[in-house]
Amino acid sequence: MRVARRLLQAVVVLWAAFTLSFLILYLLPGDSVLTKLGSAEGGPSASPEQIAQLRAQYGLDQPVLVQYGKQLLAALHGDFGTSVSTGDDATHMVLTALPPTLAVTGLALLFAVVFGGAIAVLGTFTRTRWVSQLLLSLPPLGTSLPTFWVGLLLIQLFSFRLRLVPALGSAGFASLILPAVTLALPTGAIIAQVLAKSLRTQLAEPYVEIVRAKGAGRGRVHFGHALRNAGLPTLTLVGVVAGNLLAGSVVTETVFSRDGLGRITASAVTSQDVPVVQAVIVLAAFFFVGLNLIVDLVYPLLDPRVRKEVTADG
Amino acid sequence: MVLTACGVADGANPQDAGPPRPGGTLRLGISSAPDCIDPQQASTNASLNVGRQVVDSLTDQDPETGEITPWLADRWDVDADSTSFTFHLRAGATFSDRTPVDATAVKASFDGIKALGAKALLGASYLAAYQGATVLDPATVRLDFSEPSAQFLQASSTMSLGVLAPSAYRRTAEQRCQGDGLIGSGPFVVTSFRPNQDIVLSKRTGYHWGSPLWRHQGEAYLDRIDYRVVPEPGVRTGSLVSGQLDAITDVQPVDEPQFSGSGFTEPVRANPGIVFNLHANVTRGALADDKVRQAVSKGVNRPEVTDTVLSGNYKPATSILGSATPLYTDLSRELAYDPGGATALLQSDGWVPGPDGIRVKNGQRLSAAVLYSPVFNQNQSVLELIQQQLRKIGFDLRIEQHTNSEVTRLQQSGDYDFLWYNVTRADPDILRQQFSVHGTNRSRLPADNPLEPALTAQSATVDAAQRKPAAEQAQRTIVENAYAIPVFELTQVLALAPNAHDVGFEASSRLQLFDAWVSGS
């Protein structure tokens, strides 16, 4: 029952994403054909008849509802149409750009969870005051650094000066490291902030006193009890920040000269290339919905209280 | 030529100085990702710099003199009114699918470009009056036009009208864009194309029909050209300096000093065609007044623009055409900075200073908006400087940035005061395309305007001696009436690592990599 409801919600989200992005692109002045023709210096040199012919070829002369209906129908079959600016199939473009983006965001998420988590846990666990202060002041710093600047700084140091990793391209694992670190920084910082805060809250809860009274050591209290409870809000957060990672890839892919979803999205939006934007939006919505569905399903496994609600609901 | 030659002389390492040797890969960092690498459809430098290496053209154009010279065609005949062009093809040239470059193939290629319609972003205007081609014999083809088209001879030298094999047209236009079926007879062939990443071209073995303008004959020197898309200028520069690239395009003015000395060289070439200019719509507001436009032209300090916002590699405009354009006329005296003359002109015309320093006349403010899209990185800073300069003569320039698509729409509807743009073309006919009432008429001139006769006259003959007076008259009329206010010449600035040599420009300032070579690879 619960799963079915979640799936229905997911379909509605996908449809809404498709429709909203269509509307926004439609309402913007101009269209993809004008952008393409305008890419020639000094503007289009074709005759007005030739331009009209080209717009008709891409179906841009039809009423908006007809355009929308046709695209929705085709999209249901996985066909988002042909990109006006590249001439490539939009679905193909997006699927080709997906693996390099997933590689970087996946690694970034791993870095963010591991390092963000470690900072929060150590920062709250240590008894040395200055270590704790240092560790816990890192996350606010991390969230305030602009990704673009961090990326350039890392390239300057590790690629141009020390020549440890290549500055360009998507080939090999070495090319993944710097973009993943750049992308992980703001995300890891948020994870650390939220986890540290909920760890502190948990450690002040009455049950901690009881566990201590029963004779549990600091380590057991911290890792066995508090962390387990504090992990829940952080897990929800991971579902949300994974979306931010996709958004952040626009910047990292540009700075690190990589192909990927971020780059094609940015250029498709500026050139009002509706088929590509639609394909990206639906894919992103699909991931977002899927990821949050997984988080939802994992929740009861971690928290007995949620498990009871689910049983009662079913 | 001079620049690349001194590049060799500057090479820090004596054994790098030549002679040129074959082999190796040129890793070339480019600033933007080509959407489409078919030169017949492309319009951006990124795309054309790739396409040029893959296709040959019927003719070539001497970058120094602008003269049209043989390439795939040994010789040609043009009829008296420039409506019929007969090309006699050289023997022995083949496409990379081994089929011959013959009259039938040339006809198929020109028909193919015409069939692209508006998708041939540059070719559509070159072939606007193209009626068809006739195969006279396997080595002779005649192309017919419905009206005098002197510009076609120069157009036949561009990559936009480069010849593709008949088999290329069995693929769709979209497939050719992606490099699928992009079969030319050029010195390089497409090996791979990964959007937003890189394009790899490989040497065509057995190539021996190069343009006689090139420094050597036979096959190209480079085994491979690896175009890497590097959008961030700082990363492009850093990658070149740290040896991860051999050459880069679009060096930003702030990065230029890094490449003086230390073995790096900086080939530059100004683009021919219409310079960056404020193109006035003479039907709008204050710009309908000739004296206002003339005052604006006097109020723009062109050398200050190139000195402060750009670099010494950029030239202030000295005509509406760039100095590298054939039949360019030097009008630097007419375009000299003269703020005193500007204010005197406005004063005598009844424009008096208002309370905020901006002049007014009959309650109308001396103000106009300029539309631009950020195609050239320094556009905004250039326009802001011009805004300050014009404020000094009491003229209020409003700067409006729009997307490409929006600028195009406004351009089409005529809803603008000034347009800010440039067009690259190594032929004065570009003036007819942008100013003629039969062209796009960006100034929105009436049919009986004083410019039209000169534009028509220059389009009627390919004879440079006869064309010259008409082309000169057209430039003079545009500058004197300030239909458009020229500002500076767009310039291509490259940087080469010490191991890269002879990366050259063709007549339209796009890359010609046939003679390029790398040492120590």
Side-chain angles (χ1 to χ4, degrees):
Chain A
M1 244 338 261
R2 186 161 174 277
V3 174
R5 205 165 60 210
R6 290 297 313 218
L7 281 176
L8 187 70
Q9 271 176 4
V11 171
V12 172
V13 168
L14 284 178
W15 171 79
F18 181 91
T19 307
L20 264 179
S21 58
F22 178 88
L23 260 180
I24 292 170
L25 288 172
Y26 182 81
L27 288 176
L28 283 176
D31 61 42
S32 50
V33 164
L34 286 180
T35 310
K36 188 187 169 92
L37 296 171
S39 71
E41 287 173 350
S45 51
S47 66
E49 297 76 39
Q50 284 175 314
I51 295 172
Q53 207 181 355
L54 193 59
R55 297 188 74 241
Q57 204 180 328
Y58 286 105
L60 294 171
D61 57 337
Q62 291 169 330
V64 55
L65 274 178
V66 175
Q67 288 186 42
Y68 172 75
K70 278 189 173 172
Q71 279 177 29
L72 185 61
L73 204 66
L76 288 175
H77 297 88
D79 174 15
F80 289 90
T82 306
S83 156
V84 177
S85 49
T86 67
D88 198 359
D89 178 63
T91 316
H92 175 254
M93 276 174 76
V94 169
L95 291 180
T96 322
L98 186 60
T101 302
L102 280 188
V104 174
T105 47
L107 192 63
L109 192 60
L110 185 74
F111 285 164
V113 169
V114 170
F115 291 105
I119 286 172
V121 170
L122 292 179
T124 48
F125 185 69
T126 180
R127 279 174 172 164
T128 320
R129 204 174 149 75
W130 70 268
V131 175
S132 163
Q133 273 179 343
L134 176 74
L135 285 174
L136 294 180
S137 64
L138 288 178
L141 182 69
T143 49
S144 58
L145 291 176
T147 317
F148 188 76
W149 181 81
V150 171
L152 283 179
L153 200 74
L154 290 177
I155 289 194
Q156 194 70 37
L157 184 63
F158 292 101
S159 183
F160 299 157
R161 288 274 164 81
L162 303 173
R163 311 201 176 182
L164 293 174
V165 282
L168 315 170
S170 321
F173 183 74
S175 74
L176 281 180
I177 301 171
L178 291 187
V181 169
T182 310
L183 204 51
L185 205 68
T187 312
I190 295 175
I191 291 179
Q193 266 178 319
V194 171
L195 185 60
K197 188 165 186 295
S198 35
L199 269 172
R200 281 208 191 113
T201 317
Q202 291 298 329
L203 289 169
E205 291 276 320
Y207 76 85
V208 171
E209 292 299 321
I210 299 170
V211 176
R212 280 203 185 119
K214 280 181 166 177
R218 273 191 77 229
R220 181 155 168 74
V221 169
H222 211 90
F223 296 100
H225 295 273
L227 183 59
R228 192 161 165 193
N229 286 314
L232 285 171
T234 316
L235 183 66
T236 317
L237 184 74
V238 168
V240 179
V241 294
N244 292 353
L245 285 177
L246 277 182
S249 62
V250 176
V251 174
T252 47
E253 281 164 11
T254 306
V255 173
F256 294 94
S257 316
R258 296 177 59 86
D259 187 24
L261 275 186
R263 282 280 284 290
I264 67 166
T265 309
S267 64
V269 168
T270 34
S271 57
Q272 286 171 259
D273 204 345
V274 179
V276 181
V277 178
Q278 297 281 49
V280 171
I281 297 260
V282 169
L283 183 83
F286 188 79
F287 264 88
F288 213 66
V289 164
L291 207 66
N292 282 291
L293 198 62
I294 293 171
V295 169
D296 260 29
L297 297 176
V298 171
Y299 237 93
L301 304 180
L302 294 179
D303 190 338
R305 288 167 296 180
V306 181
R307 198 148 56 216
K308 279 203 196 95
E309 281 165 32
V310 174
T311 331
D313 191 54
Chain B
M1 290 300 135
V2 175
L3 284 156
T4 44
C6 83
V8 176
D10 281 351
N13 216 335
Q15 72 249 28
D16 282 351
R21 66 194 79 154
T25 299
L26 181 79
R27 295 165 303 167
L28 175 66
I30 56 176
S31 60
S32 60
D35 285 332
C36 170
I37 56 170
D38 175 6
Q40 296 183 344
Q41 299 179 59
S43 70
T44 60
N45 271 339
S47 299
L48 298 170
N49 283 339
V50 175
R52 179 68 286 179
Q53 325 307 326
V54 177
V55 294
D56 293 333
S57 299
L58 288 176
T59 62
D60 199 3
Q61 185 176 19
D62 189 328
E64 302 302 310
T65 64
E67 192 193 345
I68 304 301
T69 57
W71 193 350
L72 285 176
D74 277 325
R75 58 197 170 83
W76 47 89
D77 316 301
V78 183
D79 70 346
D81 60 352
S82 307
T83 55
S84 177
F85 298 74
T86 306
F87 291 92
H88 304 272
L89 304 177
R90 60 164 295 150
T94 59
F95 295 106
S96 58
D97 65 356
R98 305 289 159 198
T99 56
V101 182
D102 57 14
T104 316
V106 170
K107 174 180 162 53
S109 192
F110 279 90
D111 288 349
I113 301 169
K114 186 71 183 172
L116 284 170
K119 279 186 189 170
L121 290 174
L122 302 180
S125 66
Y126 303 167
L127 295 186
Y130 175 75
Q131 278 185 313
T134 312
V135 175
L136 300 177
D137 68 56
T140 315
V141 60
R142 193 185 72 228
L143 279 68
D144 292 307
F145 291 77
S146 59
E147 56 184 64
S149 302
Q151 55 85 21
F152 172 71
L153 191 58
Q154 185 275 337
S156 74
S157 75
T158 64
M159 67 295 276
S160 305
L161 300 187
V163 182
L164 288 180
S167 61
Y169 299 97
R170 290 200 279 275
R171 298 285 203 280
T172 63
E174 285 73 23
Q175 286 171 320
R176 295 200 295 278
C177 260
Q178 298 298 303
D180 178 12
L182 192 62
I183 297 163
S185 62
F188 291 92
V189 293
V190 179
T191 301
S192 70
F193 174 26
R194 293 188 302 164
N196 288 326
Q197 273 295 282
D198 56 8
I199 298 145
V200 177
L201 303 185
S202 309
K203 176 195 291 193
R204 165 92 191 271
T205 50
Y207 184 87
H208 63 85
W209 45 90
S211 160
L213 282 180
W214 298 346
R215 290 181 173 194
H216 80 286
Q217 288 299 307
E219 296 177 358
Y221 290 131
L222 296 168
D223 285 341
R224 269 163 57 110
I225 307 168
D226 192 350
Y227 297 82
R228 306 234 175 123
V229 182
V230 188
E232 194 14 63
V235 176
R236 245 178 2 254
T237 304
S239 300
L240 183 69
V241 173
S242 64
Q244 301 182 50
L245 292 172
D246 306 307
I248 59 173
T249 67
D250 298 277
V251 178
Q252 301 297 299
V254 301
D255 290 336
E256 287 184 18
Q258 292 205 37
F259 299 113
S260 55
S262 66
F264 289 87
T265 48
E266 214 177 57
V268 295
R269 190 173 195 270
N271 284 48
I274 294 184
V275 298
F276 265 110
N277 72 95
L278 297 161
H279 200 137
N281 178 347
V282 304
T283 65
R284 293 268 282 215
L287 298 185
D289 184 339
D290 295 352
K291 297 214 167 51
V292 167
R293 298 194 309 270
Q294 287 158 347
V296 169
S297 186
K298 287 178 192 295
V300 174
N301 185 346
R302 297 167 179 87
E304 190 186 32
V305 170
T306 53
D307 289 349
T308 54
V309 187
L310 301 165
S311 78
N313 284 326
Y314 293 77
K315 292 180 198 162
T318 47
S319 170
I320 182 66
L321 292 178
S323 52
T325 323
L327 308 186
Y328 146 89
T329 303
D330 184 356
L331 300 172
S332 45
R333 227 157 25 111
E334 288 78 353
L335 291 172
Y337 179 48
D338 179 13
T343 47
L345 205 54
L346 290 171
Q347 202 72 34
S348 70
D349 196 31
W351 294 93
V352 292
D356 58 350
I358 301 302
R359 291 172 185 269
V360 284
K361 179 181 174 181
N362 306 330
Q364 189 189 6
R365 254 168 81 84
L366 187 56
S367 175
V370 55
L371 299 190
Y372 82 105
S373 64
V375 283
F376 176 65
N377 250 352
Q378 278 71 34
N379 270 348
Q380 168 123 14
S381 351
V382 169
L383 287 173
E384 280 168 2
L385 180 57
I386 296 174
Q387 184 179 49
Q388 288 171 26
Q389 294 173 348
L390 292 179
R391 184 162 284 273
K392 288 184 197 149
I393 62 161
F395 186 96
D396 170 38
L397 183 71
R398 306 189 309 276
I399 302 173
E400 292 181 6
Q401 186 190 315
H402 291 283
T403 60
N404 244 337
S405 139
E406 182 64 353
V407 169
T408 311
R409 194 182 65 80
L410 294 167
Q411 229 169 43
Q412 299 271 306
S413 61
D415 189 10
Y416 56 84
D417 300 338
F418 277 127
L419 289 172
W420 173 254
Y421 72 95
N422 80 308
V423 196
T424 300
R425 176 96 200 255
D427 191 273
D429 192 68
I430 190 63
L431 295 177
R432 190 181 54 86
Q433 274 176 39
Q434 299 289 351
F435 288 87
S436 166
V437 293
H438 305 295
T440 48
N441 193 7
R442 297 261 186 263
S443 294
R444 318 296 278 189
L445 297 171
D448 61 344
N449 70 76
L451 178 60
E452 204 65 32
L455 295 177
T456 311
Q458 67 76 35
S459 72
T461 172
V462 295
D463 179 3
Q466 283 186 52
R467 261 186 117 186
K468 193 172 170 44
E472 179 173 341
Q473 187 55 51
Q475 292 168 69
R476 204 169 276 286
T477 308
I478 291 167
V479 166
E480 283 172 358
N481 290 287
Y483 292 143
I485 292 140
V487 178
F488 75 95
E489 300 188 6
L490 177 66
T491 299
Q492 301 303 315
V493 183
L494 310 178
L496 309 184
N499 67 315
H501 310 273
D502 294 345
V503 171
F505 296 103
E506 45 84 272
S508 308
S509 298
R510 270 104 197 199
L511 297 183
Q512 176 52 267
L513 299 173
F514 180 78
D515 288 315
W517 58 284
V518 288
S519 50
S521 53

